Amino acid sequence: MSSRHDARGDCRASTAAGLRLRPLRVEDQDAFLAAHRTMAAEGFNFGLGLQNDMSWGRYLEALEEGRAAINLPKGMVPAPFLVADVGGEIVGRTSIRHVINDFLASVGGHIGYAVLPQHRRRGYATEILRQSLVVARAHGVKRVLVTCDDNIASIAVIEACGGQLDSLVPAEPGAPSRRRYWID
């Protein structure tokens, strides 16, 4: 995943032309639920807060409540949840947290993002993170914490966007450590 960056390492533009972050819409239901199932097969929770018995309309309301910090479940923080759209197709998603709690300070960070398997290795992850940084900074987050598992692709994306490794956090027994990066 290549990107151009300035002397500070900030990713300014990626090879993922046309990608834009946007809120979920009513008409996204089928595509988003398919993406959620695809990522669940990899053990990743694509649809944050999505429950099996939840209607699509209620899910969209819950995302808006999460953005506006209304009726947040215990342990949750305000966060816009946006999908990454390329030409009308959902290729990934991001959750951008304006504040972090103790759990997020250890393993989640300010930004959590994902790219669907069929869309990987096209620069989308770098562009999702780049645009997520813009949103985080617009909400007053000056120093952004991003974490990842110990995998080469995630490390490359975060470092391309200026991430400086802070620490490794031990994970559950048998799982790889989480890498914690700060982006100024």
Side-chain angles (χ1 to χ4, degrees):
M1 295 183 201
S2 65
S3 66
R4 296 187 326 250
H5 38 276
D6 65 17
R8 294 174 302 154
D10 296 329
C11 49
R12 293 184 307 196
S14 78
T15 58
L19 184 143
R20 68 184 182 97
L21 299 180
R22 63 166 177 83
L24 273 172
R25 301 184 292 231
V26 171
E27 60 269 22
D28 292 325
Q29 180 176 357
D30 292 341
F32 187 81
L33 294 176
H36 182 69
R37 287 189 298 273
T38 296
M39 294 301 285
E42 292 187 354
F44 186 85
N45 186 8
F46 192 75
L48 294 178
L50 181 61
Q51 300 167 10
N52 290 335
D53 60 349
M54 184 180 272
S55 73
W56 184 247
R58 176 63 196 124
Y59 183 58
L60 295 178
E61 289 172 7
L63 291 177
E64 179 56 27
E65 289 171 353
R67 184 201 61 76
I70 299 169
N71 299 323
L72 287 176
K74 184 176 169 91
M76 299 298 289
V77 299
F81 182 89
L82 305 169
V83 291
D85 178 302
V86 176
E89 184 175 5
I90 294 172
V91 301
R93 65 92 162 148
T94 186
S95 177
I96 307 157
R97 300 171 278 267
H98 309 156
V99 296
I100 55 176
N101 56 25
D102 290 341
F103 172 77
L104 293 170
S106 177
V107 294
H110 287 96
I111 299 171
Y113 60 95
V115 175
L116 294 167
Q118 66 270 31
H119 297 290
R120 292 180 183 153
R121 304 193 56 78
R122 298 180 192 177
Y124 294 150
T126 302
E127 185 61 14
I128 290 169
L129 180 54
R130 186 191 72 74
Q131 290 185 31
S132 296
L133 289 167
V134 172
V135 173
R137 292 197 171 109
H139 285 91
V141 182
K142 301 212 182 311
R143 194 161 191 242
V144 178
L145 176 65
V146 182
T147 69
C148 70
D149 290 334
D150 193 20
N151 74 67
I152 293 170
S154 295
I155 292 166
V157 166
I158 295 168
E159 290 180 355
C161 288
Q164 297 295 312
L165 182 63
D166 176 74
S167 60
L168 299 175
V169 177
E172 305 163 7
S177 295
R178 297 288 292 174
R179 298 172 67 92
R180 296 175 71 250
Y181 287 88
W182 288 100
I183 303 174
D184 292 313

